[in-house]
Amino acid sequence: MSISVRTLEPGEVQERIADLARLRIAVFREWPYLYDGDAGYESGYLASFAAAPHAVLVAAFDGDDIIGMATASPLSAQGAAVLEPVAAHGFDVPTTFYFGESVLLPQWRGQGIGHAFFDQREAGARRAGARTATFCSVIRPDDHPMRPEGARSHAAFWTARGYREVPGLVCTMHWADLGEAGETPHRLQFWSRAL
């Protein structure tokens, strides 16, 4: 089968929302998120994200099967957990785009799909008039008991794309880790670049 990566039209997002939710749950179970996901929550999250003006949802396909996805939308469309710390750090909210998840099934990694995700999200942000892109990644200690041997950071990839850590800019999100009975707080570090 041939691999394709393209931005979905709003109607396509709704048609494939169950597939997209399953994909997020599958990939976010992995290190470093260790997220014990819920299909109902994921479907609602994706529908809300996609409904934002200028939102971008990019999907990678193997034939008709969705094997990866990435999202982006204006910072102004984000909830308080993301919006407030970024705004408080001095970012211009109307011209900043927030890149949500970028998830890809393991067997498809290392083939340039991650770059295609960033290319299409950055292009969508520029079309919407954004001058800055930002995203955040979960902070886990090196000695975390569930850290797999050989786990590596994506920092080199992000740096090669022109992104830099924003010193002191973190947010807190809540989710249930695998094996936990309830949600717990997790700190995430922001990265950013000019578009």
Side-chain angles (χ1 to χ4, degrees), residues 32-117:
Y33 285 89
L34 307 173
Y35 167 60
D36 191 9
D38 171 84
Y41 170 82
E42 291 300 318
S43 294
Y45 164 82
L46 287 164
S48 175
F49 202 107
H54 306 294
V56 177
L57 198 153
V58 183
F61 293 85
D62 177 5
D64 191 49
D65 295 331
I66 296 178
I67 58 170
M69 63 169 287
T71 61
S73 73
L75 177 61
S76 59
Q78 302 309 306
V82 169
L83 176 59
E84 290 177 1
V86 176
H89 209 78
F91 282 71
D92 182 55
V93 172
T95 61
T96 301
F97 239 63
Y98 174 71
F99 289 4
E101 67 283 301
S102 181
V103 296
L104 184 63
L105 293 173
Q107 61 268 38
W108 302 108
R109 295 174 190 163
Q111 300 181 39
I113 295 171
H115 282 292
F117 284 165

Side-chain angles (χ1 to χ4, degrees), residues 139-158:
I139 301 167
R140 294 281 192 184
D142 290 340
D143 63 352
H144 190 284
M146 293 183 72
R147 182 184 182 89
E149 189 171 332
R152 61 181 180 85
S153 165
H154 295 297
F157 172 76
W158 298 328

Side-chain angles (χ1 to χ4, degrees), residues 7-55:
T7 299
L8 299 182
E9 297 297 327
E12 289 181 283
V13 174
Q14 295 305 317
E15 290 170 7
R16 301 299 297 263
I17 207 139
D19 296 332
L20 296 165
R22 279 192 296 274
L23 176 67
R24 275 178 47 95
I25 290 169
V27 175
F28 279 149
R29 288 182 68 83
E30 300 174 17
W31 178 264
Y33 285 89
L34 307 173
Y35 167 60
D36 191 9
D38 171 84
Y41 170 82
E42 291 300 318
S43 294
Y45 164 82
L46 287 164
S48 175
F49 202 107
H54 306 294

